[in-house]
């Protein structure tokens, strides 16, 4: 009797182990899908390089203190974790994965990466830094996640730099536009973008037919839809920042100076921008309600990124990163995350 019970017990253990093993393999290989309105990062963050991305009170970022390696911190910037050695740019995050462009070929300390296989490409990993999966092994840029699809520029030595679409399972890549344009928005099966090589109109492409058409003519650069408005840098008017209704009507000048980049806080209170007129270069912000502006720092800065609480930006000539409370007083500090590689 005891022997019989023992055999049954062993069978149950075996079945349980096999079942758990099968479940583990299933979850390891399964791709968890998103809701169709999932957005991997804000458009303006992607315009600025996608070096910071917020999801579920965590900030994923390219840590320039560790030569651009992929890190994560909490929303208070107190606890830091290194997720991967890759230099990560154009970071997007959904509920399950991190998507990024690998840019190891641009590292400051690239000597140890010379022999690394595939120094560039587009990748997906789990949020704990495991299960790296290639979307593309070719150089890419301006990676954007919307719903269950990825949009990105990809360089092919035979065809050039074009815009592509793929699903998050990385199995259905297709060419969208034969130009190196940047996605501005994806909605109702249409992708919006500013023309680059052939015009500077605000255009749209039908994602089913790949047919394109201009919806607004002009000199658009870095256009975004935000809170009922269309914001953009106007190439035809000395790169000033404009705001118009979403249909392009009633355009007004917000920043009457030549600018190189901008970003808008999540609350919609401030627009941060870099003046690049060659005489009085500065990073500033404008209150979008009162339209009053204030200078934060004189000089040349780039890559303005926004999270819920913070605005980050970089010195143009070195790797210094600055941080300011997004809607707080104009008090700029340096952002100095730890280099956890030194402790390894």
């Amino acid at each position: 009797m005891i022997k019989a019970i023992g055999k049954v017990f062993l069978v149950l253990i075996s079945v349980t182990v096999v079942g758990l093993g099968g479940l583990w393999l299933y979850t390891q290989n399964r791709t968890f899908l998103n809701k169709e309105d999932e957005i991997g990062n804000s458009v303006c963050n992607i315009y600025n390089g996608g070096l910071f991305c917020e999801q579920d009170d965590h900030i994923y970022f390219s840590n320039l203190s560790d030569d651009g390696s992929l890190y994560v911190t909490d929303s208070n910037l107190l606890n830091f974790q290194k997720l991967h050695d890759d230099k990560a740019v154009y970071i997007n995050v959904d509920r399950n994965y991190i998507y990024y462009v690998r840019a190891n070929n641009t590292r400051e300390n690239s000597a140890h990466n010379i022999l690394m296989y595939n120094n560039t490409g587009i990748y997906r990993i789990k949020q704990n830094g495991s299960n790296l999966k290639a979307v593309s092994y070719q150089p890419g840029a301006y990676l954007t996640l919307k719903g269950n699809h990825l949009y990105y520029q990809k360089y092919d030595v035979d065809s050039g730099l074009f815009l592509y679409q793929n699903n998050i399972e990385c199995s259905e890549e297709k060419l969208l536009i034969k130009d190196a344009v940047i996605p501005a928005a994806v909605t109702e099966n249409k992708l919006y973008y500013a023309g680059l090589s052939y015009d500077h109109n605000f255009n749209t492409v039908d994602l089913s037919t790949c047919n394109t058409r201009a919806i607004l003519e002009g000199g658009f650069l870095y256009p975004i839809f935000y809170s009922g408005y269309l914001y953009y840098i106007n190439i035809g008017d000395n790169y000033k920042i404009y705001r118009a209704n979403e249909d392009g009507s009633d355009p007004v000048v917000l920043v009457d100076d030549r600018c190189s980049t901008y970003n808008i806080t999540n609350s919609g209170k401030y627009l941060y921008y870099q003046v690049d007129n060659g005489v009085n270069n500065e990073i500033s912000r404008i209150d979008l309600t009162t339209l009053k502006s204030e200078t934060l720092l004189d000089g040349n800065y780039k890559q303005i990124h926004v999270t819920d609480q913070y605005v980050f930006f970089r010195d143009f000539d070195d790797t210094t990163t600055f941080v300011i409370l997004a809607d707080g007083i104009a008090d700029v500090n340096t952002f100095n995350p730890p280099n956890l590689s030194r402790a390894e």
Side-chain angles (χ1 to χ4, degrees):
M1 182 67 179
I2 296 176
K3 290 183 178 179
I5 293 174
K7 290 180 179 179
V8 171
F9 185 67
L10 288 174
V11 169
L12 289 174
I13 291 176
S14 300
V15 170
T16 301
V17 170
V18 170
L20 290 175
L23 179 62
W24 183 83
L25 288 173
Y26 173 72
T27 55
Q28 287 294 101
N29 296 321
R30 177 188 174 191
T31 295
F32 294 90
L33 300 181
N34 297 316
K35 295 180 179 179
E36 288 303 319
D37 60 353
E38 183 75 40
I39 296 175
N41 203 344
S42 71
V43 175
C44 266
N45 280 355
I46 295 300
Y47 284 152
N48 282 277
L51 304 181
F52 291 82
C53 179
E54 190 168 26
Q55 175 71 259
D56 294 333
D57 295 325
H58 287 80
I59 298 173
Y60 300 82
F61 67 101
S62 179
N63 186 358
L64 296 181
S65 298
D66 192 5
D67 212 1
S69 295
L70 180 61
Y71 277 62
V72 63
T73 184
D74 55 59
S75 58
N76 295 315
L77 309 182
L78 295 176
N79 300 298
F80 294 85
Q81 179 185 356
K82 182 174 181 177
L83 297 177
H84 204 279
D85 282 326
D86 276 344
K87 180 175 183 178
V89 297
Y90 303 111
I91 300 167
N92 287 254
V93 184
D94 61 20
R95 302 294 176 181
N96 299 288
Y97 306 105
I98 307 165
Y99 310 80
Y100 65 92
V101 171
R102 175 187 285 175
N104 292 340
N105 58 316
T106 66
R107 300 192 104 138
E108 294 290 328
N109 303 316
S110 59
H112 67 286
N113 290 309
I114 291 176
L115 299 179
M116 183 182 291
Y117 179 66
N118 289 325
N119 269 330
T120 62
I122 302 169
Y123 291 84
R124 186 193 86 183
I125 61 172
K126 290 187 175 181
Q127 292 184 6
N128 62 5
S130 67
N131 291 77
L132 187 69
K133 180 180 179 67
V135 178
S136 170
Y137 290 111
Q138 293 170 292
Y142 296 104
L143 175 66
T144 301
L145 168 72
K146 175 62 187 297
N148 290 299
H149 287 89
L150 301 166
Y151 304 88
Y152 48 87
Q153 292 178 6
K154 186 185 77 171
Y155 177 75
D156 184 271
V157 67
D158 296 320
S159 57
L161 186 63
F162 297 151
L163 185 70
Y164 289 79
Q165 179 194 61
N166 205 338
N167 60 20
I168 63 171
E169 296 175 282
C170 316
S171 62
E172 294 182 358
E173 184 181 76
K174 73 174 182 177
L175 174 64
L176 285 182
I177 303 170
K178 290 186 175 182
D179 198 0
V181 298
I182 308 169
V186 180
T187 181
E188 296 180 351
N189 207 40
K190 291 182 174 61
L191 181 144
Y192 296 83
Y193 66 95
L196 180 67
S197 299
Y198 310 107
D199 60 60
H200 294 289
N201 298 332
F202 193 39
N203 302 312
T204 183
V205 56
D206 187 299
L207 295 175
S208 298
T209 64
C210 292
N211 291 330
T212 63
R213 67 180 182 90
I215 56 175
L216 293 172
E217 295 185 353
F220 291 87
L221 179 65
Y222 304 146
I224 66 165
F225 292 119
Y226 189 90
S227 191
Y229 291 103
L230 174 65
Y231 293 82
Y232 58 98
I233 293 177
N234 192 334
I235 296 175
D237 190 16
N238 194 33
Y239 292 79
K240 298 175 182 178
I241 298 177
Y242 272 64
R243 179 173 69 184
N245 296 325
E246 286 192 351
D247 62 1
S249 63
D250 299 326
V252 297
V253 177
L254 287 180
V255 181
D256 192 17
D257 215 331
R258 184 184 178 93
C259 297
S260 57
T261 190
Y262 73 98
N263 209 327
I264 299 174
T265 58
N266 291 352
S267 68
K269 182 176 182 179
Y270 287 110
L271 183 149
Y272 286 74
Y273 59 95
Q274 171 66 30
V275 173
D276 191 23
N277 59 23
V279 179
N280 300 307
N281 291 4
E282 63 187 29
I283 189 164
S284 305
R285 68 182 183 184
I286 181 172
D287 188 311
L288 291 174
T289 301
T290 66
L291 299 187
K292 291 183 178 180
S293 61
E294 57 185 329
T295 299
L296 302 177
L297 293 173
D298 293 326
N300 299 309
Y301 303 92
K302 62 182 179 180
Q303 296 175 326
I304 304 170
H305 290 77
V306 165
T307 62
D308 194 51
Q309 296 185 55
Y310 307 102
V311 172
F312 302 88
F313 57 92
R314 284 183 59 191
D315 187 281
F316 190 86
D317 295 318
D318 61 38
T319 59
T320 303
T321 300
F322 298 91
V323 62
I324 181 174
L325 288 174
D327 297 324
I329 62 173
D331 183 19
V332 179
N333 295 282
T334 56
F335 176 58
N336 296 307
N339 181 347
L340 299 179
S341 293
R342 293 173 181 166
E344 293 176 355

